[in-house]
C-alpha cells in the first residue's frame, strides 16, 4: 500500500525519476507453532520501503501476537494523545481451537493494525516501529520479555517517579484526596460522545455477529431440507420423484452459497464493526491518559507554588538550606514545565486525532457497508438464479402424465 | 351452476374441482350460556358456558336443495360427526378431525384458543367436503343443514376390535404434529403387532402398497420436520436483519445529533442507507416466511392423510379378522355337527338329545353363515374403498405436490429478486468507497 510523506504542494522535478517515499507492510502466512497450551501462531511481516531510516528495500521478519502487543504498548506510552490503532483481542479460549477462520481474522486485523501505524504521519517515524519491522527474532524476544515492569527504567522517567512520590506526599500534606478534573466543555462533550458511541457501535456489532450465525443456520437448514427432499424423491417413482430430487440438489447448492456469504460477512462487515468498537476503547484509554497528564500538571503547579513560598521564606531568613531548596525548586520547575508540555501535547494531538478518527471511520465503515451490500446482493441474485432455473424443469415434469 | 366439462372420469356429475361446497364460519363465534347440562360435581343449577360456531355452507350441488345453509354447531358436534363418519365409511381415508386437547388451550388466552379452533374446524369441514364420497354422505349433510341441535344418530353395531382413536391437531405447529404422529404411529404399529398372527393378508399387492406407504410416511415426516426448521431459520435471519437495521437507525440519529465534523454527517447518511436496506430486507424475510408456511402446509395435510390411510388399512385388517374368525367358527361348528351326527347314527332310532343339539347347531351355522356373508361383503367393500382411495391418493398427491413445489420455488425466487434489488441499491449508494480505493485493506 502506498504511503505519502507530506510534501507541501511541491511538484516533482521533471529531470529525476519520481521516487515518492513509501512504506508498505503486510502480515502474511500464519503458521501454527508449538503444542497444547503453549501453541501460538507466527506471521511473516514483509516491509517494502525506500525510506533511508530502513535497512534496504525489503525486509522479512517473523513475528507473533505478543510482539504486536509490545509495539502497541510502546507506542501508547510514547505517543500520548494519539489514538493508537487497536489490536484484536488476546483470546485464550479460541487459541485452542485455532480455526482457519480465527487465524484469518487475526492475520487480517494485525495487517490492518501495522498499516495504520505505517500510514500515520507521527507514528510512522517511531523507533519502535522500525525495531518491530526489522529486528531479528532473538532481539525481538528479548525486548518482548522485558515488558514485565510497569515502569520503564529510562533516565527521563526517573523524574516521573520522583514526581509521583512527591505529589502523593503533597496530597497527604494538603489533605487533597479528590482527583482534579478538567473543566473543558469541549472535552466533556467528547468524553460523553465516546462513551455513548461505544454502546451504539457495540450493539450494531452484536447484531452483525448474530447475522453471521443466522446465515450459517439458514444454510444448514437448507442443506438438511435438500437431503429430505431427495429422500422423499427416492420414494416416488415418477416425474414427481425427479422433481423432488432436483429441488433437493438445488437446496444443497444454495446452502453452500449461504456458508460462503457467512464467511464473507464475518470478515468484511462484522470485523470492521468489531474494530470500530476497539478503536473507541483505545480512545477511552487515551482520555484516561489525558486525565492523568492533567492531574500531574495541576498537582505540580500547586507544589511549585508551595515551594516558591518556602524558598522565599528561606531566603529571607538566609538559611543555609537555601541552596538545596533552590536546586529542588529548579528541578520541580523543570518537571512542572514538562508536565504542562505533556498535557498540552496530548490536547493538541487529540484535537487532530479526533478529526482523523472520524474521517478514518467514515471511510472504513463506508467500505464495510459496500462489502455488506455487495455480498447480500450476490447472495440474493444467486438464490434467484438457482430457484428460477428450476421452474422450467418443474413445468416439464408436471406436464408429463403420471 | 354446475359445470359438466370434465365428465370423463365417469362420475355422476360431481366432479371435485368444479363443485363448490365450502364451509365458511363467520367471524364471531358466540358464547352461549347453556343451563341444560350441569357439569358433574358442580351445583345442579350451575351454568356452563361453551362456544358455538357459525357454519355457512355454500354449494351448487343440486342434491342439497339450496345454495346456502347456515347452522350453529359446537365442537362436541364436530367430534360426534367425526366418530360417526369413521364408523360408516370404513376403508376410506376419512380426514382426521381437530384435536380435543385441553392442555395447550389452557395456556392460551381463550380468544386465541377459540380462533385457532375455529380455523381448525373450518379446515376440517372443507376437507370433508372435498372428499368425493364423504361429501355425499348423509352424516355430513345433516351436520351442515339440519337446523337446531344435531340429533344423536344411533350408533351402528360394532363387531370389530376397538380402533386406536384417531385424532390430529391440524393448524398446530408442525412440531406438536410430529410428536403426535410419532406417538400415534407407535400405537398403531403396536396394535397391528397384536393383530398380526391372526390376520392372514394374502393380497401381495396390498402388502407392497402398505409397506411403501409406511416408507413414504417416514420420509414425509422427515421432510416436514426440515421444513419447520427452514421456517425457523428464515424467521431468525429476518429478525436479526431487522434488529441490525434498528441498531443503525439509532447510530444514525446519534451521529447526526452529535456531529462536529462533516465526516460524521457523511457517515450518518451512509448508516441511514444501511438501516433502510436492512429493515426492508427483514420485512421481506417475514413475508417470504409466511408464504413458505402456507406452501409447506401441504406436507402437514398429507401427514393427516397418512393417518387416515392407517385407519383405513386397520379397518380392512379388522374386517378380514372378522371374516376369518367367523370362518373358523363355521368350520368348528360344522365339525361338531359331523361328530354328533356320526355318534348319533350309531344309535338305533336316534338320540333325542343329540338330535336337538344338532338342530341347535345347524341353526347357529345358518346364523353364522349369514353373519359371515355380511362380513365378507363388508370386507370386500372395504377392500374396494382402500383401492379407490389409494388410486385417488396417487393422483391427488402428484398434483398437490407438484403444485406445492412450484409455488415454493416461485415464492423463493420472487423474494430473492426483491432482496437483490434492495441490496443492489445499497451497493450503488456506497459505490464511492469502492472507487476511491482502500487506504487500509480489510
Amino acid at each position: 500500500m502506498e504511503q505519502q510523506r507530506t510534501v507541501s504542494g511541491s511538484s516533482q522535478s521533471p529531470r529525476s525519476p519520481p521516487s515518492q517515499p513509501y512504506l508498505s507492510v503486510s502480515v502474511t502466512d500464519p503458521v501454527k507453532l508449538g503444542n497444547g497450551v503453549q501453541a501460538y501462531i507466527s506471521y511473516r511481516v514483509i516491509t517494502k520501503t525506500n525510506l533511508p531510516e530502513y535497512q534496504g528495500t525489503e525486509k522479512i521478519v517473523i513475528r507473533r501476537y505478543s510482539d504486536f502487543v509490545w509495539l502497541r504498548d510502546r507506542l501508547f506510552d510514547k505517543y500520548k494523545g494519539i489514538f493508537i490503532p487497536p489490536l484484536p483481542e488476546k483470546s485464550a479460549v479460541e487459541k485452542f481451537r485455532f480455526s482457519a477462520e480465527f487465524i484469518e481474522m487475526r492475520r487480517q486485523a494485525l495487517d490492518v493494525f501495522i498499516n495504520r501505524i505505517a500510514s500515520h504521519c507521527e507514528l510512522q517515524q517511531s523507533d519502535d516501529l522500525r525495531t518491530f519491522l526489522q529486528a531479528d527474532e532473538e532481539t525481538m524476544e528479548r525486548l518482548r520479555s522485558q515488558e514485565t515492569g510497569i515502569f520503564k527504567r529510562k533516565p527521563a522517567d526517573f523524574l516521573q517517579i520522583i514526581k509521583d512520590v512527591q505529589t502523593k506526599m503533597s496530597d497527604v500534606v494538603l489533605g487533597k484526596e479528590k482527583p482534579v478534573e478538567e473543566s473543558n466543555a469541549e472535552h466533556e462533550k467528547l468524553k460523553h460522545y465516546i462513551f455513548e458511541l461505544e454502546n451504539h457501535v457495540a450493539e450494531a456489532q452484536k447484531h452483525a455477529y448474530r447475522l453471521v450465525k443466522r446465515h450459517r443456520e439458514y444454510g444448514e437448514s437448507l442443506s438438511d431440507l435438500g437431503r429430505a427432499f431427495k429422500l422423499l424423491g427416492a420414494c416416488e417413482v415418477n416425474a414427481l420423484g425427479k422433481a423432488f430430487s432436483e429441488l433437493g440438489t438445488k437446496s444443497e447448492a444454495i446452502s453452500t452459497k449461504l456458508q460462503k456469504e457467512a464467511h464473507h460477512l464475518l470478515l468484511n462487515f462484522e470485523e470492521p464493526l468489531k474494530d470500530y468498537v476497539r478503536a473507541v476503547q483505545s480512545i477511552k484509554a487515551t482520555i484516561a491518559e489525558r486525565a492523568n497528564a492533567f492531574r500531574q500538571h495541576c498537582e505540580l503547579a500547586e507544589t511549585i507554588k508551595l515551594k516558591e513560598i518556602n524558598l522565599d521564606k528561606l531566603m529571607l531568613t538566609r538559611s543555609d538550606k537555601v541552596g538545596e531548596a533552590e536546586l529542588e525548586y529548579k528541578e520541580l520547575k523543570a518537571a512542572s514545565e514538562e508536565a504542562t508540555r505533556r498535557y498540552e501535547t496530548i490536547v493538541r494531538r487529540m484535537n487532530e486525532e479526533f478529526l482523523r478518527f472520524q474521517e478514518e471511520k467514515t471511510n472504513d465503515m463506508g467500505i464495510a457497508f459496500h462489502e455488506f451490500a455487495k455480498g447480500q446482493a450476490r447472495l440474493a441474485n444467486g438464490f434467484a438464479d438457482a430457484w428460477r432455473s428450476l421452474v422450467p424443469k418443474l413445468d416439464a415434469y408436471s406436464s408429463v402424465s403420471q | 351452476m354446475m359445470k359438466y366439462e370434465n365428465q370423463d372420469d365417469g362420475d355422476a356429475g360431481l366432479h371435485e374441482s368444479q363443485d363448490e361446497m365450502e364451509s365458511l364460519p363467520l367471524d364471531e363465534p358466540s358464547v352461549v350460556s347453556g343451563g341444560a347440562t350441569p357439569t358433574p360435581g358442580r351445583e345442579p343449577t350451575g351454568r356452563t358456558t361453551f362456544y358455538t360456531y357459525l357454519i355457512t355452507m355454500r354449494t351448487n350441488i343440486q342434491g342439497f336443495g339450496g345454495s346456502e345453509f347456515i347452522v350453529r354447531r359446537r365442537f362436541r358436534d364436530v367430534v360426534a360427526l367425526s366418530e360417526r363418519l369413521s364408523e360408516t365409511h370404513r376403508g376410506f381415508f376419512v380426514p382426521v378431525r381437530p384435536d380435543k386437547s385441553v392442555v395447550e388451550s389452557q395456556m392460551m388466552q381463550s380468544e386465541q384458543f377459540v380462533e385457532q379452533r375455529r380455523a381448525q374446524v373450518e379446515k376440517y369441514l372443507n376437507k370433508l367436503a372435498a372428499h368425493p364420497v364423504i361429501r355425499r354422505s348423509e352424516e355430513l349433510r345433516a351436520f351442515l343443514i339440519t337446523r337446531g341441535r344435531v340429533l344423536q344418530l344411533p350408533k351402528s353395531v360394532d363387531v370389530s376390535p376397538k380402533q386406536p382413536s384417531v385424532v390430529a391437531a391440524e393448524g398446530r405447529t408442525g412440531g406438536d404434529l410430529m410428536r403426535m404422529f410419532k406417538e400415534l404411529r407407535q400405537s398403531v404399529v403396536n396394535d397391528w403387532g397384536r393383530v398380526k398372527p391372526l390376520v392372514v393378508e394374502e393380497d401381495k399387492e396390498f402388502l407392497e402398497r402398505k409397506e411403501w406407504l409406511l416408507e413414504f410416511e417416514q420420509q414425509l415426516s422427515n421432510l416436514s420436520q426440515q421444513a419447520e426448521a427452514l421456517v425457523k431459520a428464515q424467521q431468525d435471519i429476518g429478525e436479526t436483519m431487522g434488529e441490525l437495521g434498528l441498531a443503525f437507525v439509532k447510530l444514525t440519529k446519534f451521529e447526526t445529533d452529535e456531529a462536529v465534523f462533516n465526516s460524521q454527517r457523511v457517515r450518518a447518511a451512509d448508516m441511514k442507507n444501511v438501516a433502510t436496506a436492512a429493515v426492508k430486507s427483514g420485512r421481506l424475510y417475514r413475508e417470504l416466511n409466511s408464504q413458505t408456511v402456507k406452501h409447506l402446509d401441504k406436507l402437514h395435510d398429507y401427514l393427516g392423510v397418512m393417518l387416515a390411510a392407517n385407519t383405513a388399512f386397520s379397518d380392512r385388517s379388522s374386517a378380514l379378522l372378522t371374516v376369518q374368525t367367523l370362518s373358523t367358527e363355521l368350520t368348528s361348528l360344522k365339525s361338531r355337527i359331523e361328530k354328533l351326527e356320526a355318534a348319533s347314527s350309531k344309535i338305533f332310532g336316534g338320540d333325542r338329545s343329540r338330535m336337538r343339539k344338532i338342530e341347535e347347531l345347524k341353526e347357529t351355522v345358518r346364523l353364522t353363515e349369514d353373519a359371515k356373508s355380511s362380513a365378507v361383503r363388508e370386507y370386500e367393500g372395504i377392500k374396494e374403498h382402500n383401492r379407490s382411495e389409494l388410486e385417488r391418493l396417487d393422483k391427488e398427491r402428484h398434483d398437490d405436490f407438484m403444485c406445492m413445489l412450484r409455488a415454493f420455488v416461485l415464492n423463493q425466487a420472487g423474494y430473492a429478486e426483491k432482496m437483490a434489488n434492495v441490496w443492489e441499491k445499497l451497493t450503488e449508494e456506497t459505490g464511492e468507497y469502492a472507487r476511491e480505493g482502500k487506504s487500509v485493506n480489510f
Side-chain angles (χ1 to χ4, degrees), chain B residues 83-132:
Chain B
E83 282 169 10
R84 193 78 179 100
L85 284 173
S86 358
E87 288 162 13
T88 57
H89 287 75
R90 299 174 76 210
F92 287 107
F93 296 175
V94 180
V96 287
R97 67 155 170 81
D99 203 25
K100 266 195 240 182
S101 146
V102 197
V103 179
E104 221 185 76
S105 71
Q106 282 175 351
M107 303 214 267
M108 289 189 236
Q109 308 280 347
S110 66
E111 270 174 38
Q112 210 187 345
F113 169 70
V114 170
E115 174 50 32
Q116 189 189 81
R117 180 161 273 187
R118 186 205 63 77
Q120 289 173 354
V121 167
E122 181 174 313
K123 208 167 173 211
Y124 170 63
L125 292 176
N126 276 305
K127 284 215 182 101
L128 292 179
H131 191 291

Side-chain angles (χ1 to χ4, degrees), chain B residues 178-192:
Chain B
M178 278 329 103
R179 228 185 312 119
M180 287 204 65
F181 285 150
K182 278 204 192 98
E183 291 162 11
L184 188 67
R185 202 178 326 163
Q186 208 55 44
S187 71
V188 168
V189 166
N190 288 341
D191 271 12
W192 284 355

Side-chain angles (χ1 to χ4, degrees), chain B residues 325-339:
Chain B
T325 309
L326 290 169
S327 290
T328 320
E329 280 258 335
L330 271 173
T331 315
S332 80
L333 281 170
K334 283 182 177 163
S335 83
R336 277 174 68 191
I337 290 174
E338 259 181 54
K339 285 199 190 108

